[in-house]
Amino acid sequence: MTMRTKTMELIAPCHFGTEAVLKREIQDLGYEVSQVEDGRVTFVGDLEAVAYANLFLRTTERILIKVGKIHAETFDELFERTKALPWEDYIPENGKFWVAKANSVKSKLFSPSDIQSIMKKAMVERLKTVYHKEWFEENGAHYPVRVALMKDEALIGLDTSGASLHMRGYRKLTAKAPITETLAAALILLTPWKKDRILVDPFCGSGTFPIEAAMIAANMAPGMKRTFLAETWDNLMEKRFWDNAREEAEDLLDLSVKTDIQGYDIDEQVLKAARENARLAGVSHLIHFQRRPVSELSHPKKYGFVITNPPYGERLQEKEQLPALYREIGQAFSRLDSWSEYLITAYQDAETYIGRKADKNRKIYNGMMKTYFYQYLGPKPPKRSRQEETE
């Protein structure tokens, strides 16, 4: 069995608290999940799965090929066990390789720069003996390695994505404190929202929630507008893997879908950026952006969804305004009494000023920041008649 056809383990990192959504996405793609841990899901696939996962998964940061898992309490152990891994299966003679990122939690080895340099030396020593060379030009394709140490166990993966997968290629302009595309998609997928339901984001900023929702509604693969590092790996990846994945993405795309997705903000400049981002994503016809404060949040129809990331006072002068702002949010929610509302915020007193305890609350890490995803669940809409659905 060649490297191109054998199955391997692929690692998909994600935001802490969104693992269940990513697991479901991977299973929906048709792959078997082998392990779910904090901040990552591991699954089984072949090299074609690398292309499909990069192109289609909305909620992962990158796709790594698992090279190995080793136990290392000393730098000698790290060196010898890294050297014992079959690096030649992945890295060709002219490949440029390095340890791009190392992180360490509750482990005896904790200096990222030392871990990186020792692992690089070990890889060089291994490849010297395999390729019978004393020196590597490293003028070919790039093969960055990432390692995560947890309680002296080092999980080592080869990064196939390159730029993080939250960089879909549409967000040229950002507002302050933006939410990443992968986290926005995960939060939408944590709700029961479907493409035929109303969705409003009253603090839309540069438009990430509405754009990700529109992409979900149109069945648009998130990676359609970008390239991936592993496309340059001629020794491993066949061009047809990427062609097949992109062809399938094109076939599944439905830009004629009818939606009611709205993004409001009080800042006209920010809305300009949101409109441009939506245009670049190819979904501007599916979203209505409008300048409107949260105090004027209303909608004539019932059973809609609010999904939003309101300000939570990064700066001191903003902090003083938070009680009043969250009271306004609470008042707006009470006017939409048959709606479901979801908001992610790091503001500890959100429920107090909204004036209502959330039905559900999920802890999610946005980078290193602990945030809460407050979920206010509205009634389910009555089942529509067949006639209504065909109208």
Side-chain angles (χ1 to χ4, degrees):
M1 188 184 279
T2 67
M3 190 68 194
R4 293 188 185 207
T5 53
K6 80 170 189 179
T7 58
M8 56 192 84
E9 282 199 295
L10 300 172
I11 304 160
C14 61
H15 286 276
F16 284 82
T18 66
E19 298 84 0
V21 183
L22 177 55
K23 179 187 177 185
R24 192 172 71 221
E25 271 203 286
I26 291 165
Q27 288 170 332
D28 287 349
L29 260 188
Y31 300 111
E32 180 201 336
V33 168
S34 52
Q35 196 173 17
V36 180
E37 300 162 274
D38 283 348
R40 70 170 162 255
V41 179
T42 305
F43 64 103
V44 179
D46 54 11
L47 284 167
E48 188 166 47
V50 168
Y52 274 82
N54 270 298
L55 210 74
F56 283 94
L57 294 177
R58 296 181 194 281
T59 64
T60 181
E61 297 304 307
R62 58 187 67 249
I63 300 297
L64 307 169
I65 295 172
K66 181 178 170 182
V67 179
K69 191 171 192 178
I70 60 175
H71 182 85
E73 295 182 34
T74 67
F75 283 121
D76 278 349
E77 283 180 345
L78 181 68
F79 180 88
E80 291 302 335
R81 286 168 188 171
T82 301
K83 188 180 160 188
L85 295 170
W87 292 105
E88 65 280 2
D89 287 356
Y90 308 98
I91 300 167
E93 212 170 309
N94 70 339
K96 179 174 171 57
F97 58 96
W98 72 103
V99 180
K101 187 160 177 36
N103 60 32
S104 171
V105 179
K106 297 178 183 162
S107 297
K108 293 181 184 66
L109 305 178
F110 56 82
S111 157
S113 57
D114 289 341
I115 293 164
Q116 286 166 296
S117 62
I118 281 166
M119 286 182 69
K120 166 77 185 202
K121 281 186 190 129
M123 292 161 72
V124 169
E125 287 307 310
R126 168 83 185 199
L127 294 176
K128 271 184 184 176
T129 55
V130 174
Y131 292 128
H132 310 294
K133 288 182 87 165
E134 276 307 301
W135 187 75
F136 295 97
E137 279 189 43
E138 297 196 41
N139 58 0
H142 292 191
Y143 296 81
V145 171
R146 296 171 85 91
V147 57
L149 273 99
M150 177 73 173
K151 295 179 181 165
D152 305 318
E153 297 288 324
L155 182 63
I156 302 166
L158 193 62
D159 177 16
T160 71
S161 305
S164 170
L165 294 179
H166 79 265
M167 298 168 89
R168 317 276 205 223
Y170 70 73
R171 192 160 77 174
K172 296 288 183 275
L173 304 152
T174 61
K176 61 176 189 275
I179 191 163
T180 65
E181 294 81 340
T182 42
L183 181 54
L187 296 176
I188 294 166
L189 293 173
L190 274 170
T191 78
W193 177 80
K194 295 283 180 284
K195 62 189 174 188
D196 59 344
R197 308 280 293 274
I198 303 154
L199 189 148
V200 177
D201 179 359
F203 299 95
C204 74
S206 52
T208 312
F209 272 129
I211 292 168
E212 289 295 319
M215 287 167 72
I216 291 167
N219 218 353
M220 181 186 282
M224 279 182 88
K225 293 193 166 14
R226 59 162 284 171
T227 57
F228 308 95
L229 185 58
E231 289 183 72
T232 62
W233 295 356
D234 298 342
N235 62 318
L236 288 179
M237 299 291 296
E238 292 177 28
K239 186 174 176 294
R240 69 183 170 91
F241 298 159
W242 301 100
D243 291 346
N244 292 349
R246 287 202 167 91
E247 208 172 295
E248 193 163 324
E250 288 291 346
D251 290 347
L252 291 168
L253 183 62
D254 177 15
L255 289 171
S256 65
V257 65
K258 296 276 178 283
T259 58
D260 187 347
I261 299 171
Q262 302 184 33
Y264 304 145
D265 206 282
I266 51 169
D267 185 335
E268 196 52 63
Q269 284 308 107
V270 161
L271 286 169
K272 213 168 145 182
R275 288 188 187 101
E276 177 61 7
N277 290 337
R279 188 188 67 75
L280 290 166
V283 293
S284 56
H285 64 295
L286 299 176
I287 307 168
H288 173 68
F289 288 108
Q290 191 184 352
R291 185 168 180 216
R292 186 191 285 203
V294 70
S295 57
E296 289 173 28
L297 177 60
S298 64
H299 198 288
K301 292 192 176 157
K302 293 168 80 108
Y303 309 113
F305 283 71
V306 170
I307 305 179
T308 193
N309 173 37
Y312 30 84
E314 272 33 340
R315 291 192 291 281
L316 212 56
Q317 68 267 33
E318 284 178 357
K319 267 208 164 46
E320 293 158 13
Q321 296 160 12
L322 289 181
L325 178 68
Y326 280 77
R327 271 195 207 97
E328 279 188 346
I329 293 171
Q331 285 157 7
F333 284 1
S334 65
R335 290 194 298 273
L336 297 168
D337 60 344
S338 62
W339 282 47
S340 297
E341 292 100 7
Y342 297 82
L343 75 154
I344 183 168
T345 179
Y347 183 43
Q348 301 277 0
D349 299 327
E351 286 173 306
T352 306
Y353 292 108
I354 285 170
R356 196 175 130 209
K357 198 165 165 32
D359 299 303
K360 282 185 180 173
N361 183 5
R362 196 184 190 103
K363 199 187 300 174
I364 289 181
Y365 281 84
N366 185 2
M368 296 313 289
M369 189 191 292
K370 183 163 65 173
T371 60
Y372 296 92
F373 190 43
Y374 295 106
Q375 305 166 54
Y376 295 91
L377 312 179
K380 283 197 169 112
K383 284 259 184 285
R384 288 192 295 175
S385 69
R386 284 240 171 94
Q387 187 187 349
E388 275 183 304
E389 282 177 10
T390 53
E391 270 172 13

